[in-house]
């Protein structure tokens, strides 16, 4: 009571009472509408209940109620708002509204059905358009409601009550327009009344006019989505301008420059001219000037580009691939201006490389340098669009069997045809999940981005992440039942999980009591002797790869001791280019190895990409493989199964040699163990079961490098007697020195091969150094000539 006597206390009580009253009214209002809809439905007044549901925005409930009310035309109007044009057409046909039925059949892409209705029901000539079939009278109810809304909007006051009444009129008019098939007018009316979400849905998903939706998204503050819609509509100048707005509000605006330039070089040039003037060249602003130079080079302004590249080299140093781009630029300049003094001096700048490494052909080195520059430029220009994603069913490798009976830890056999078919294999080489998610627009799955969600499901299948794949396919199925084969893929994932049963969670000897250490998430691959699962180590909280040897091998006499002895020796290897082995032993009666999970691509998959692998890339990859082998061979470990599929490269360029868990330790003697390799990459002594040593791996490395350079294997089947074709016959750009390195590694007699990984790697390093020196010398020569030219101009 004392609190009520003070002004402050009394005010606090009044405010509390007002808040309670408002909350009660809101709750009563919401609850009242739902109760009224339920009461109307119980009394059979489905039409009235449906109209209330429409007012509340519950279109799914309204659609069902209109069907129960036997009002197919109103149900059809709701179907149009939901984007299901085929269902709308069927309902209009059911209501004998032939004009609108034909109109929406045509909009749904069912022109033969639309023509059939016009011919049989409307007596129109075949091919007559919707404009002839639908003739709306000026005095139609929809037009009257639209006119009433426009008049009310012109004189409406800004009060909340007036705004609510105006929006009610707009929704009634728009719904009537939709029922009449005037979707464009309805969308415009929604936009005018502030129903942006409804207007955007109609423009994008029904009318297929994303450009008209873009300004509405910008009005809502979603500038990035607006830019994407302009891009989708083909309005490239507006899209580029919108991306500039997005960039200016981003903490890393320079990351958008490449995309802007791809849409409109003119907009990008204007943007970069302004930004580089405001940001003098420094290590912190080098990316701006680097992108500016790239755009100038692409626009044909070679001199300006060259000056900028030189300034970056002088003030920042070897930034990104500036040296390679300068080399490529010089080659282009020479091709167009062969008579200039600069062209005469450039060959001399790189002439020292062959002298330091006899046998190198300067012309071949120039080809390699150009190839490197072009590959880098392609990588920088590459921007994946949804329309460019690989089509499901297309695969860059051989056709994969669609019905493979699994032989892993499954308790019952299952078919995994859609878990590893050609579409999944293609997803291994396609866009990343980050790229795909960008195309979802950060929205849940809907009719506008359903294909992207489907592709995400394929990507996760390829990555062995079945939980995420199942989530994507379930979202697709919920949005559009029977879309592609999403439901079948989801069923196969569920069948795989069911077949594993309790084996999807595995206890391990050093796990805490009662704890299941490993949880299987999917498959990364399988062969005739092993299956690799993607898993989570719950004890240490990390992603791992679990490799289980086949049951046949695991149960062979003495294999347990042999396997553990060799695995212990390999587990001691600690090298950045060797996949780490965390654990080994037996689970579920099967020999297993727990390995580091590598997030990258195998060289096999890189070779399958359209751009392939350049000569220098191949050398850099094999150099790292030889680094790993040099370390392993010093510790008496021979890999025995080196091939492109067992070489992984991460996004940062680090190479990891896989499957060391199946290697052979020479420290325990030379008795051949039960584990074999892959015949196409084996030397003769391994194929015949003779004793092996480290030179076995060098043969396999050489086969792999031969395949990386030529896309062909050097030997057919098991035949090792016929010498393979020289690499230069298949790829003339391969230097003679590199050819000699590879061909010596492919020698049939072990004594004719390289004596060690270190020896072979030493020659490869010299060749790489020579290529690098050649490129640097060319760049330096170009820089000197440019400086000289600038001095003369002064």
């Amino acid at each position: 009571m004392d609190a009520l006597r003070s002004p402050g206390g009394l005010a606090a009580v009044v405010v509390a009472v007002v808040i309670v009253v408002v909350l009660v009214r809101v709750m009563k209002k919401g609850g009242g509408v739902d109760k009224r809809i339920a009461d109307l439905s119980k009394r059979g007044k489905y039409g009235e209940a449906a109209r209330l549901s429409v007012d509340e925005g519950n279109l799914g409930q309204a659609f069902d109620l209109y069907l129960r009310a036997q009002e197919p035309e109103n149900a059809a109007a709701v179907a149009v708002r939901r984007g299901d044009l085929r269902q709308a057409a069927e309902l209009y046909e059911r209501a004998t509204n032939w004009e609108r039925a034909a109109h929406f059949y045509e909009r749904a892409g069912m022109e033969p059905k639309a023509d059939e209705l016009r011919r049989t029901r409307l007596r129109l000539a075949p091919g007559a358009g919707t404009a002839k079939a639908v003739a709306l009278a000026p005095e139609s109810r929809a037009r009257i409601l639209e006119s009433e809304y426009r008049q009310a909007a012109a004189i409406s006051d800004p009060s909340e009550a007036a705004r609510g009444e105006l929006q009610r009129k707009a929704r009634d008019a728009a719904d009537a327009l939709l029922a009449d098939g005037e979707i464009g007018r309805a969308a415009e009316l929604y936009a005018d009344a502030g129903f942006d979400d409804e207007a955007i849905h109609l423009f994008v998903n029904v009318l297929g006019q994303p450009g008209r939706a873009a300004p509405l998204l910008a009005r809502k503050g979603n500038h990035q989505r607006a830019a994407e819609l302009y891009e989708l509509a083909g309005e490239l100048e507006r899209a580029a301008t919108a991306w500039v707005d997005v960039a200016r509000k981003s903490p890393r605006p320079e990351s958008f420059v490449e995309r802007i330039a791809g849409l409109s070089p003119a907009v990008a040039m204007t943007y970069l001219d302004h930004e580089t003037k405001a940001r003098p060249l420094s290590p912190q602003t080098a990316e701006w000037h680097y992108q500016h130079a790239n755009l100038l080079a692409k626009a044909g302004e070679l001199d300006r580009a060259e000056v900028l590249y030189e300034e970056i080299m002088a003030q920042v140093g070897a930034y990104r691939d500036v040296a390679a781009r300068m080399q490529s630029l010089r080659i282009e300049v020479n091709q167009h201006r062969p008579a200039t003094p600069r062209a005469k001096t450039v060959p001399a700048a790189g002439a020292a490389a062959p002298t330091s490494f006899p046998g190198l052909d300067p012309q071949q080195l120039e080809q390699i340098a150009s190839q490197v520059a072009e590959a880098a430029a392609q990588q920088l220009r590459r921007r994946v669009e949804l329309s460019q994603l690989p089509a499901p069913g297309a695969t860059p490798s051989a056709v994969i069997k669609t019905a493979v009976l699994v032989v892993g830890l499954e308790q019952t056999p299952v078919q995994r045809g859609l878990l590893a078919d050609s579409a999944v294999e293609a997803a291994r080489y396609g866009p990343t999940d980050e790229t795909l998610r960008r195309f979802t627009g950060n929205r849940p799955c809907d009719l506008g981005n359903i294909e992207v969600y489907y592709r995400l499901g394929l990507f996760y299948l390829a990555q062995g992440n079945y939980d995420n794949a199942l989530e994507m396919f379930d979202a697709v199925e919920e949005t559009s039942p029977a879309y592609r084969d999403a439901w079948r893929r989801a069923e196969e994932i569920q069948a795989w999980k069911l077949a594993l049963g309790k084996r999807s969670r595995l206890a391990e000897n050093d796990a805490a009591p009662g704890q299941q250490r490993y949880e299987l998430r999917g498959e990364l691959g399988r062969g005739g002797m092993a299956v690799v699962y993607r898993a989570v180590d719950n004890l240490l909280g990390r992603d791992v790869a679990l490799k289980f040897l086949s049951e046949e091998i695991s149960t062979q006499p003495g294999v347990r001791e042999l396997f553990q002895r060799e695995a212990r020796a390999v587990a001691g290897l600690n090298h950045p280019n060797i996949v780490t082995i965390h654990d080994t032993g037996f689970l579920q009666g099967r020999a297993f190895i727990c390995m580091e999970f590598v997030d990258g691509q195998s060289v096999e998959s890189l070779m399958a990409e359209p751009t392939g692998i350049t000569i220098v890339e191949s050398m850099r990859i094999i150099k790292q493989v030889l680094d790993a082998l040099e370390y392993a061979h010093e510790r008496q470990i021979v890999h025995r199964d080196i091939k492109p599929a067992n070489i992984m490269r991460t996004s940062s360029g680090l190479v990891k040699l896989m499957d060391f868990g199946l290697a052979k330790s020479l420290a325990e003697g030379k008795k051949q163990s039960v584990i074999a390799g892959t015949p196409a990459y084996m030397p003769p002594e391994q194929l015949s079961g003779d004793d092996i040593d480290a030179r076995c791996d060098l043969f396999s490395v050489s086969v792999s490098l031969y395949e990386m350079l030529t896309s062909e294997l050097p030997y057919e089947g098991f035949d090792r007697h016929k010498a393979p074709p020289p690499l230069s016959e298949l790829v003339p750009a391969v230097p003679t020195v590199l050819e000699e390195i590879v061909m010596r590694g492919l020698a049939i007699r072990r004594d004719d091969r390289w004596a060690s990984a270190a020896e072979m790697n030493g020659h490869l390093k010299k060749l790489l150094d020579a290529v690098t020196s050649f490129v640097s010398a060319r760049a330096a020569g170009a820089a000197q000539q440019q400086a000289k030219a600038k001095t003369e101009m002064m």
Side-chain angles (χ1 to χ4, degrees):
M1 296 298 294
D2 291 339
L4 294 176
R5 294 191 182 96
S6 66
L10 182 60
V13 171
V14 170
V15 170
V17 170
V18 170
I19 291 173
V20 170
V21 169
V22 170
L23 288 174
V24 169
R25 286 182 177 177
V26 170
M27 293 173 66
K28 283 185 176 180
K29 181 180 178 182
V33 173
D34 291 340
K35 186 175 183 300
R36 188 178 175 192
I37 291 173
D39 289 342
L40 288 169
S41 298
K42 287 180 181 179
R43 287 185 286 155
K45 296 185 177 182
Y46 300 118
E48 292 182 40
R51 281 179 275 281
L52 273 178
S53 296
V54 170
D55 291 341
E56 290 298 304
N58 193 340
L59 298 184
Q61 184 181 48
F63 181 80
D64 293 338
L65 288 169
Y66 274 134
L67 289 180
R68 297 179 70 179
Q70 298 298 312
E71 298 182 22
E73 285 196 80
N74 287 330
V78 173
V80 172
R81 288 181 59 181
R82 295 170 68 185
D84 195 338
L85 303 187
R86 176 173 179 171
Q87 191 171 52
E90 291 171 348
L91 287 168
Y92 279 128
E93 185 178 9
R94 173 177 159 187
T96 68
N97 190 332
W98 314 120
E99 295 92 343
R100 290 174 191 160
H103 170 78
F104 284 108
Y105 274 129
E106 186 173 62
R107 293 288 304 166
M110 302 175 66
E111 289 84 357
K113 180 67 175 177
D115 286 341
E116 180 188 350
L117 285 180
R118 293 183 184 121
R119 184 180 66 255
T120 60
R121 299 293 184 178
L122 299 173
R123 308 298 181 187
L124 294 174
T130 306
K132 295 180 181 179
V134 181
L136 297 173
E139 66 274 14
S140 68
R141 176 175 174 273
R143 292 296 182 89
I144 292 172
L145 290 174
E146 182 185 14
S147 176
E148 289 176 355
Y149 162 75
R150 301 289 181 191
Q151 292 172 10
I155 60 174
S156 176
D157 62 70
S159 67
E160 188 67 26
R163 182 173 178 274
E165 177 62 20
L166 191 62
Q167 286 195 327
R168 186 192 64 78
K169 287 180 177 291
R171 191 176 287 280
D172 287 345
D175 288 349
L177 287 168
L178 286 173
D180 284 346
E182 296 197 75
I183 302 172
R185 294 180 71 92
E188 291 169 356
L189 196 148
Y190 275 135
D192 186 71
F195 293 115
D196 289 343
D197 290 338
E198 287 85 344
I200 291 167
H201 167 72
L202 290 177
F203 280 134
V204 176
N205 296 325
V206 180
L207 293 170
Q209 300 172 354
R212 298 179 69 182
L216 302 179
L217 280 158
R219 185 167 76 186
K220 290 168 67 69
N222 193 342
H223 298 287
Q224 180 167 331
R225 180 62 176 155
E228 289 173 344
L229 287 182
Y230 277 133
E231 198 171 339
L232 190 63
E235 300 180 36
L236 303 186
E237 292 289 330
R238 299 183 73 178
T241 303
W243 279 116
V244 168
D245 292 336
V246 174
R248 285 176 173 154
K249 296 176 182 178
S250 168
R252 292 189 65 249
E254 68 276 10
S255 64
F256 292 90
V257 171
E258 189 180 348
R259 182 166 197 158
I260 296 167
L263 294 168
S264 172
V267 172
M269 190 71 79
T270 302
Y271 179 47
L272 284 171
D273 283 340
H274 176 270
E275 293 297 328
T276 51
K277 287 178 182 176
R279 306 168 191 262
L281 179 60
S282 70
Q284 290 72 37
T285 64
E287 182 64 18
W288 288 99
H289 296 266
Y290 171 79
Q291 295 281 8
H292 196 191
N294 293 347
L295 192 60
L296 287 168
K298 188 175 181 180
E301 298 188 44
L302 305 185
D303 292 335
R304 287 184 65 192
E306 198 170 16
V307 170
L308 273 179
Y309 283 139
E310 288 175 3
E311 291 176 353
I312 294 171
M313 289 286 288
Q315 297 188 40
V316 181
Y319 184 78
R320 294 183 64 170
D321 63 342
V322 168
R325 283 182 176 272
M326 286 182 67
Q327 168 64 16
S328 179
L329 194 67
R330 293 308 317 138
I331 293 172
E332 186 174 353
V333 169
N334 292 340
Q335 289 174 347
H336 290 85
R337 293 181 289 179
T340 60
R342 191 180 304 167
K344 295 178 182 178
T345 59
V346 168
T355 304
S356 62
F357 196 167
L360 278 176
D361 182 345
Q363 186 176 0
Q364 289 177 325
L365 276 175
E366 186 169 323
Q367 286 180 302
I368 295 173
S370 302
Q371 187 186 57
V372 172
E374 179 58 27
Q378 283 181 2
Q379 187 176 10
L380 290 171
R381 290 195 299 265
R382 187 179 181 186
R383 180 168 54 85
V384 179
E385 296 292 355
L386 186 59
S387 60
Q388 296 174 329
L389 299 183
T395 175
S397 59
V399 177
I400 299 173
K401 294 178 181 179
T402 57
V404 180
L405 199 61
V406 300
V407 289
L409 292 177
E410 295 81 2
Q411 295 171 311
T412 56
V414 296
Q415 297 291 323
R416 60 189 298 271
L418 292 177
L419 301 185
D421 66 349
S422 58
V424 176
E425 187 71 8
R428 295 182 191 276
Y429 320 124
T432 64
D433 57 340
E434 181 181 353
T435 300
L436 288 167
R437 285 191 177 279
R438 178 166 60 84
F439 281 98
T440 67
N442 295 319
R443 307 189 316 274
C445 186
D446 56 38
L447 294 176
N449 60 20
I450 191 170
E451 177 64 15
V452 186
Y453 273 84
Y454 178 83
R455 304 292 179 101
L456 272 167
L458 296 177
F459 171 84
Y460 287 126
L461 273 182
Q463 295 297 312
N465 194 337
Y466 287 7
D467 290 342
N468 283 8
L470 183 61
E471 181 183 349
M472 296 301 109
F473 290 132
D474 281 347
V476 168
E477 179 66 12
E478 184 177 345
T479 302
S480 178
Y483 185 84
R484 292 188 180 270
D485 53 7
W487 65 276
R488 291 174 57 203
R489 294 185 185 274
E491 278 191 350
E492 284 201 9
I493 295 174
Q494 293 286 19
W496 179 86
K497 287 174 170 284
L498 185 62
L500 278 177
K502 295 180 180 179
R503 293 187 177 186
S504 64
R505 293 177 175 85
L506 305 170
E508 212 274 328
N509 52 9
D510 59 354
Q515 182 177 357
Q516 294 168 320
R517 178 166 184 177
Y518 299 116
E519 184 174 349
L520 304 186
R521 292 291 175 83
E523 287 189 18
L524 295 171
R526 64 172 56 232
M529 295 185 298
V531 180
V532 184
Y533 295 100
R534 181 169 180 165
V536 174
D537 184 339
N538 292 316
L539 185 63
L540 299 177
R542 62 186 175 192
D543 287 334
V544 296
L546 291 181
K547 185 160 199 167
F548 285 87
L549 297 185
S550 69
E551 191 170 2
E552 178 183 356
I553 293 177
S554 296
T555 56
Q556 285 185 14
V559 73
R560 182 183 296 262
E561 293 75 15
L562 176 64
F563 176 77
Q564 289 186 325
R565 184 173 67 246
E566 294 188 357
R568 275 196 301 270
V570 175
L573 299 178
N574 183 14
H575 191 274
N577 297 123
I578 297 176
V579 171
T580 304
I581 292 182
H582 299 309
D583 196 7
T584 183
F586 282 75
L587 283 175
Q588 300 290 330
R590 302 278 287 281
F592 87 101
I593 302 168
C594 177
M595 300 177 290
E596 166 191 5
F597 173 73
V598 180
D599 188 7
Q601 280 185 277
S602 70
V603 171
E604 183 180 52
S605 68
L606 292 172
M607 290 164 54
E609 291 184 350
T611 54
I613 306 179
T614 66
I615 294 174
V616 173
E617 268 186 301
S618 300
M619 289 192 290
R620 287 174 179 159
I621 289 170
I622 292 301
K623 175 199 169 294
Q624 295 186 64
V625 171
L626 289 170
D627 285 340
L629 290 177
E630 183 177 347
Y631 174 86
H633 290 171
E634 287 176 356
R635 287 152 183 79
Q636 298 294 297
I637 300 295
V638 180
H639 189 286
R640 298 197 305 153
D641 195 21
I642 293 173
K643 56 186 177 182
N646 283 341
I647 304 170
M648 298 287 289
R649 190 184 69 176
T650 67
S651 57
S652 63
L654 181 66
V655 172
K656 293 273 190 178
L657 188 53
M658 309 281 289
D659 269 1
F660 253 100
L662 301 183
K664 175 177 175 58
S665 172
L666 300 179
E668 300 291 338
K670 296 186 177 181
K671 183 181 178 181
Q672 183 82 303
S673 67
V674 295
I675 310 300
T678 305
Y681 302 88
M682 287 182 182
E685 65 270 20
Q686 190 176 3
L687 283 171
S688 62
D690 294 339
D691 294 340
I692 61 169
D693 59 21
R695 290 170 292 184
C696 164
D697 284 344
L698 302 185
F699 183 93
S700 301
V701 166
S702 300
V703 173
S704 300
L705 182 52
Y706 188 103
E707 185 181 14
M708 292 161 66
L709 294 169
T710 67
S711 300
E712 295 184 14
L713 287 167
Y715 297 104
E716 295 183 6
F718 294 89
D719 183 18
R720 296 292 183 270
H721 295 92
K722 184 180 178 181
L727 286 85
S728 56
E729 288 186 8
L730 302 175
V731 182
V734 173
T736 304
V737 176
L738 180 57
E739 182 178 72
E740 291 172 355
I741 292 173
V742 177
M743 299 306 285
R744 181 172 172 181
L746 291 174
I748 301 302
R749 294 179 66 252
R750 279 183 282 193
D751 292 341
D752 294 335
R753 297 176 205 152
W754 298 104
S756 66
E759 184 184 9
M760 182 177 179
N761 209 13
H763 285 73
L764 194 62
K765 288 176 183 176
K766 286 182 182 179
L767 178 56
L768 277 169
D769 291 343
V771 173
T772 303
S773 299
F774 184 86
V775 174
S776 300
R778 282 299 183 101
Q784 291 172 5
Q785 288 298 318
Q786 182 66 27
K788 182 179 179 181
K790 287 166 62 177
T791 304
E792 291 174 352
M793 290 174 64
M794 293 179 181

